[in-house]
Amino acid sequence: QNVVTQEPSFSVSPGGTVTLTCGLSSGSVSTKYQPSWYQQTPGQAPRTLIYSTNARSSGVPDRFSGSILGNKAALTITGAQADDESEYYCVLYMGSGIWVFGGGTKLTVL
Amino acid sequence: EVQLVQSGAEVKKPGESLKISCQGSGYTFTTYWIAWVRQMPGKGLEWMGSIYPGDSDTIYSPSFQGQVTISADKSISTAYLQWSSLKASNTAIYYCARRSSGDHFDYWGQGTLVTVSS
């Protein structure tokens, strides 16, 4: 069974740049998995940030960007702000209508 | 405006049954898959399964197959998630989400908190 891996936690200074990654326990992440990224703050529903590897959802600031780095999907936040402090989840589409979420990365901005 | 509105919080006892709902509006309900996603207390998001309301085609995560039933009533643009016999371990927030025309979730419901406790 495929497991989607994410860093459990990360910290970034205000104004700094951070890259969160999303890997597969067996194999490499490529665009075929249509990686998407979601932001969740406590008590709120997830918010869609990035889809199809690098497309920004409507209203998402351009400091958020998606890519493939090596064998992983990546979410980069450039110029981090205090309200970027959230949990970030990646999701990979396995085909045949099946998705797998990563365990999430708790991002601290300090 | 696309909206997914979920039913309210539930408090149930172990062994009871439950059906929660997710009503879509602002789009053609029958032409987009609806997914259900679980979030246990303090934990991450898990895809449970999805339904295509147009023909009720349903796909379950292996982790949830046989544990829950996903259904839809296209006449009232509503998808459902149900349990026949709840356990304490079903305590979680359950979200519905619309699968976009691509392969991601573009709209989310507000979540339904289900608490199972004796």
Side-chain angles (χ1 to χ4, degrees):
Chain A
Q1 189 171 348
N2 280 307
V3 175
V4 177
T5 60
Q6 295 185 247
E7 299 87 358
S9 63
F10 232 116
S11 64
V12 62
S13 300
T17 296
V18 63
T19 296
L20 313 181
T21 68
C22 174
L24 261 180
S25 59
S26 54
S28 299
V29 177
S30 65
T31 56
K32 79 168 186 177
Y33 292 100
Q34 297 290 314
S36 53
W37 293 88
Y38 304 84
Q39 177 191 49
Q40 189 183 35
T41 52
Q44 299 296 313
R47 170 197 181 197
T48 307
L49 292 178
I50 299 289
Y51 62 94
S52 299
T53 305
N54 56 13
R56 262 187 303 276
S57 189
S58 176
V60 173
D62 60 7
R63 66 176 184 274
F64 292 91
S65 61
S67 63
I68 298 290
L69 287 181
N71 62 351
K72 296 183 179 182
L75 173 70
T76 299
I77 307 172
T78 305
Q81 299 182 0
D83 61 3
D84 295 335
E85 187 161 294
S86 300
E87 193 87 22
Y88 291 86
Y89 294 93
C90 77
V91 180
L92 300 182
Y93 181 59
M94 299 302 179
S96 302
I98 295 171
W99 280 267
V100 180
F101 279 84
T105 297
K106 182 176 177 60
L107 180 67
T108 302
V109 180
L110 50 71
Chain B
E1 179 195 7
V2 173
Q3 283 192 308
L4 296 174
V5 178
Q6 298 185 230
S7 49
E10 301 274 0
V11 179
K12 292 289 190 178
K13 295 186 180 340
E16 292 185 331
S17 62
L18 176 64
K19 193 174 191 178
I20 62 174
S21 66
C22 168
Q23 184 171 42
S25 62
Y27 72 100
T28 304
F29 186 72
T30 52
T31 60
Y32 289 84
W33 288 81
I34 292 288
W36 286 96
V37 176
R38 182 177 78 173
Q39 187 166 42
M40 298 179 74
K43 301 298 184 183
L45 303 171
E46 302 170 87
W47 174 72
M48 302 174 70
S50 304
I51 188 165
Y52 188 75
D55 60 6
S56 291
D57 188 17
T58 309
I59 302 168
Y60 292 93
S61 162
S63 300
F64 293 93
Q65 180 83 47
Q67 308 303 309
V68 296
T69 301
I70 295 172
S71 60
D73 184 341
K74 59 186 179 183
S75 70
I76 55 171
S77 300
T78 300
Y80 301 97
L81 177 65
Q82 69 180 95
W83 297 260
S84 58
S85 181
L86 287 161
K87 308 171 192 173
S89 58
N90 296 134
T91 294
I93 298 173
Y94 294 89
Y95 294 99
C96 63
R98 191 183 82 161
R99 173 187 178 178
S100 70
S101 52
D103 295 320
H104 69 284
F105 305 120
D106 57 357
Y107 290 92
W108 294 75
Q110 81 277 21
T112 296
L113 173 62
V114 174
T115 303
V116 184
S117 174
S118 55

